[in-house]
């Protein structure tokens, strides 16, 4: 129950992300230059941006361990985040191969 404060902001951010994607994500996809919104990128650029998030993933898991001092919680969150990262990277890589 004390870890509930982690889950609530995560769910809210996912909901807002999906809502913004549906409202703004039907435009042209960009393959060059800076784009603020992730959903306006081409699949190749989404894959590259996903790979750039790997150091942030490591820092986040390290920060969670320092904050909670729990190997069990760090392991569970680290495994979940790693699985999500791998699934996302493989998905965007497969999408770039089709084009």
């Amino acid at each position: 129950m004390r870890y509930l404060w982690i889950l609530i902001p995560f769910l809210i951010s996912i909901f807002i992300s999906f809502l913004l994607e549906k409202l703004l994500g039907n435009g042209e996809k960009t393959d060059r230059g800076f784009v603020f919104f992730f959903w306006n990128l081409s699949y190749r650029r989404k894959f590259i941006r996903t790979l750039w998030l790997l150091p942030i993933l490591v820092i986040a898991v390290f920060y969670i361990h320092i904050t909670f001092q729990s190997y069990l919680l760090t392991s569970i969150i680290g495994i979940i985040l790693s699985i999500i990262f791998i699934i996302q990277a493989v998905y965007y890589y497969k999408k770039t191969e089709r084009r």
Side-chain angles (χ1 to χ4, degrees), residues 1-10 64 67-74 77:
M1 190 69 173
R2 70 180 207 202
Y3 300 118
L4 188 61
W5 67 270
I6 295 174
L7 185 61
I8 291 173
F10 177 73
I64 288 169
T67 303
F68 295 108
Q69 300 287 322
S70 169
Y71 287 109
L72 179 64
L73 180 66
T74 304
I77 291 177

Short mmCIF file of all heavy atoms in Angstrom, two decimals, residues 1-10 64 67-74 77:
data_model
loop_
_atom_site.label_atom_id
_atom_site.label_comp_id
_atom_site.label_asym_id
_atom_site.label_seq_id
_atom_site.Cartn_x
_atom_site.Cartn_y
_atom_site.Cartn_z
N MET A 1 0.81 -1.19 0.00
CA MET A 1 0.00 0.00 0.00
C MET A 1 0.86 1.26 0.00
O MET A 1 0.47 2.27 -0.56
CB MET A 1 -0.91 -0.04 1.22
CG MET A 1 -1.94 1.00 1.20
SD MET A 1 -3.11 0.64 -0.09
CE MET A 1 -4.30 1.87 0.21
N ARG A 2 2.06 1.18 0.59
CA ARG A 2 2.89 2.38 0.65
C ARG A 2 3.54 2.69 -0.69
O ARG A 2 4.05 3.78 -0.88
CB ARG A 2 3.94 2.23 1.74
CG ARG A 2 5.00 1.23 1.44
CD ARG A 2 5.98 1.15 2.57
NE ARG A 2 7.27 0.72 2.07
CZ ARG A 2 8.19 0.18 2.79
NH1 ARG A 2 7.97 0.00 4.07
NH2 ARG A 2 9.33 -0.18 2.27
N TYR A 3 3.53 1.75 -1.63
CA TYR A 3 4.08 2.00 -2.95
C TYR A 3 3.02 2.48 -3.93
O TYR A 3 3.28 2.66 -5.11
CB TYR A 3 4.74 0.74 -3.51
CG TYR A 3 5.87 0.25 -2.64
CD1 TYR A 3 5.82 -1.01 -2.05
CD2 TYR A 3 6.98 1.04 -2.41
CE1 TYR A 3 6.85 -1.47 -1.26
CE2 TYR A 3 8.01 0.59 -1.61
CZ TYR A 3 7.94 -0.66 -1.05
OH TYR A 3 8.96 -1.09 -0.27
N LEU A 4 1.82 2.71 -3.44
CA LEU A 4 0.73 3.15 -4.30
C LEU A 4 0.99 4.51 -4.92
O LEU A 4 0.55 4.79 -6.03
CB LEU A 4 -0.58 3.17 -3.49
CG LEU A 4 -1.86 3.41 -4.27
CD1 LEU A 4 -2.07 2.31 -5.31
CD2 LEU A 4 -3.04 3.46 -3.34
N TRP A 5 1.74 5.37 -4.25
CA TRP A 5 2.05 6.70 -4.77
C TRP A 5 2.91 6.62 -6.03
O TRP A 5 2.99 7.59 -6.77
CB TRP A 5 2.69 7.58 -3.71
CG TRP A 5 4.05 7.13 -3.29
CD1 TRP A 5 4.37 6.28 -2.29
CD2 TRP A 5 5.29 7.54 -3.87
NE1 TRP A 5 5.72 6.11 -2.20
CE2 TRP A 5 6.31 6.88 -3.17
CE3 TRP A 5 5.64 8.38 -4.91
CZ2 TRP A 5 7.65 7.05 -3.49
CZ3 TRP A 5 6.97 8.54 -5.22
CH2 TRP A 5 7.97 7.88 -4.50
N ILE A 6 3.56 5.50 -6.29
CA ILE A 6 4.31 5.31 -7.53
C ILE A 6 3.37 4.94 -8.66
O ILE A 6 3.51 5.41 -9.78
CB ILE A 6 5.37 4.20 -7.36
CG1 ILE A 6 6.42 4.61 -6.35
CG2 ILE A 6 6.03 3.87 -8.69
CD1 ILE A 6 7.40 3.53 -6.01
N LEU A 7 2.39 4.12 -8.38
CA LEU A 7 1.50 3.60 -9.40
C LEU A 7 0.52 4.65 -9.92
O LEU A 7 0.26 4.71 -11.12
CB LEU A 7 0.73 2.39 -8.85
CG LEU A 7 -0.16 1.64 -9.81
CD1 LEU A 7 0.66 1.06 -10.95
CD2 LEU A 7 -0.90 0.54 -9.09
N ILE A 8 0.00 5.48 -9.07
CA ILE A 8 -1.02 6.46 -9.47
C ILE A 8 -0.47 7.47 -10.49
O ILE A 8 -1.07 7.66 -11.54
CB ILE A 8 -1.64 7.14 -8.24
CG1 ILE A 8 -2.49 6.14 -7.48
CG2 ILE A 8 -2.49 8.35 -8.65
CD1 ILE A 8 -3.01 6.63 -6.16
N PRO A 9 0.69 8.12 -10.26
CA PRO A 9 1.20 9.04 -11.29
C PRO A 9 1.55 8.33 -12.59
O PRO A 9 1.37 8.89 -13.68
CB PRO A 9 2.45 9.65 -10.67
CG PRO A 9 2.31 9.44 -9.22
CD PRO A 9 1.48 8.21 -9.04
N PHE A 10 1.99 7.09 -12.50
CA PHE A 10 2.31 6.31 -13.70
C PHE A 10 1.05 6.09 -14.54
O PHE A 10 1.06 6.30 -15.76
CB PHE A 10 2.93 4.97 -13.30
CG PHE A 10 3.23 4.07 -14.46
CD1 PHE A 10 4.27 4.35 -15.31
CD2 PHE A 10 2.46 2.95 -14.68
CE1 PHE A 10 4.55 3.52 -16.39
CE2 PHE A 10 2.71 2.12 -15.75
CZ PHE A 10 3.76 2.41 -16.60
N ILE A 64 15.65 4.22 -7.76
CA ILE A 64 14.63 3.48 -6.99
C ILE A 64 15.30 2.66 -5.88
O ILE A 64 14.81 2.60 -4.76
CB ILE A 64 13.79 2.59 -7.93
CG1 ILE A 64 12.86 3.47 -8.76
CG2 ILE A 64 12.99 1.56 -7.16
CD1 ILE A 64 12.18 2.75 -9.89
N THR A 67 16.41 5.06 -3.13
CA THR A 67 15.27 5.62 -2.40
C THR A 67 14.64 4.62 -1.44
O THR A 67 14.38 4.94 -0.28
CB THR A 67 14.20 6.12 -3.40
OG1 THR A 67 14.79 7.07 -4.28
CG2 THR A 67 13.04 6.74 -2.67
N PHE A 68 14.40 3.40 -1.91
CA PHE A 68 13.64 2.44 -1.09
C PHE A 68 14.52 1.43 -0.36
O PHE A 68 14.03 0.73 0.52
CB PHE A 68 12.63 1.70 -1.96
CG PHE A 68 11.57 2.60 -2.52
CD1 PHE A 68 11.56 2.92 -3.85
CD2 PHE A 68 10.60 3.14 -1.70
CE1 PHE A 68 10.59 3.76 -4.37
CE2 PHE A 68 9.63 3.98 -2.19
CZ PHE A 68 9.63 4.29 -3.54
N GLN A 69 15.79 1.32 -0.71
CA GLN A 69 16.71 0.39 -0.04
C GLN A 69 16.16 -1.04 -0.01
O GLN A 69 16.29 -1.74 1.00
CB GLN A 69 17.01 0.87 1.38
CG GLN A 69 17.66 2.23 1.46
CD GLN A 69 19.09 2.22 1.01
OE1 GLN A 69 19.81 1.28 1.28
NE2 GLN A 69 19.50 3.26 0.30
N SER A 70 15.55 -1.46 -1.10
CA SER A 70 14.96 -2.79 -1.15
C SER A 70 15.41 -3.49 -2.43
O SER A 70 15.12 -3.03 -3.54
CB SER A 70 13.43 -2.69 -1.14
OG SER A 70 12.85 -3.93 -1.42
N TYR A 71 16.11 -4.60 -2.25
CA TYR A 71 16.56 -5.36 -3.42
C TYR A 71 15.39 -6.01 -4.15
O TYR A 71 15.41 -6.12 -5.38
CB TYR A 71 17.58 -6.42 -3.01
CG TYR A 71 18.92 -5.84 -2.65
CD1 TYR A 71 19.34 -5.82 -1.33
CD2 TYR A 71 19.74 -5.31 -3.62
CE1 TYR A 71 20.57 -5.29 -0.99
CE2 TYR A 71 20.96 -4.77 -3.30
CZ TYR A 71 21.38 -4.76 -1.98
OH TYR A 71 22.59 -4.23 -1.66
N LEU A 72 14.39 -6.43 -3.41
CA LEU A 72 13.23 -7.07 -4.03
C LEU A 72 12.48 -6.08 -4.92
O LEU A 72 12.18 -6.37 -6.08
CB LEU A 72 12.30 -7.63 -2.96
CG LEU A 72 11.02 -8.29 -3.48
CD1 LEU A 72 11.37 -9.52 -4.30
CD2 LEU A 72 10.11 -8.65 -2.33
N LEU A 73 12.17 -4.91 -4.39
CA LEU A 73 11.46 -3.89 -5.16
C LEU A 73 12.29 -3.44 -6.36
O LEU A 73 11.77 -3.30 -7.46
CB LEU A 73 11.12 -2.69 -4.28
CG LEU A 73 10.36 -1.55 -4.98
CD1 LEU A 73 8.98 -2.03 -5.40
CD2 LEU A 73 10.28 -0.34 -4.10
N THR A 74 13.59 -3.25 -6.16
CA THR A 74 14.47 -2.85 -7.26
C THR A 74 14.49 -3.91 -8.34
O THR A 74 14.44 -3.59 -9.54
CB THR A 74 15.89 -2.60 -6.73
OG1 THR A 74 15.84 -1.64 -5.69
CG2 THR A 74 16.79 -2.11 -7.84
N ILE A 77 10.93 -3.93 -10.22
CA ILE A 77 10.76 -2.77 -11.10
C ILE A 77 11.78 -2.81 -12.23
O ILE A 77 11.45 -2.49 -13.38
CB ILE A 77 10.86 -1.47 -10.28
CG1 ILE A 77 9.64 -1.36 -9.38
CG2 ILE A 77 10.96 -0.25 -11.19
CD1 ILE A 77 9.65 -0.17 -8.46
#
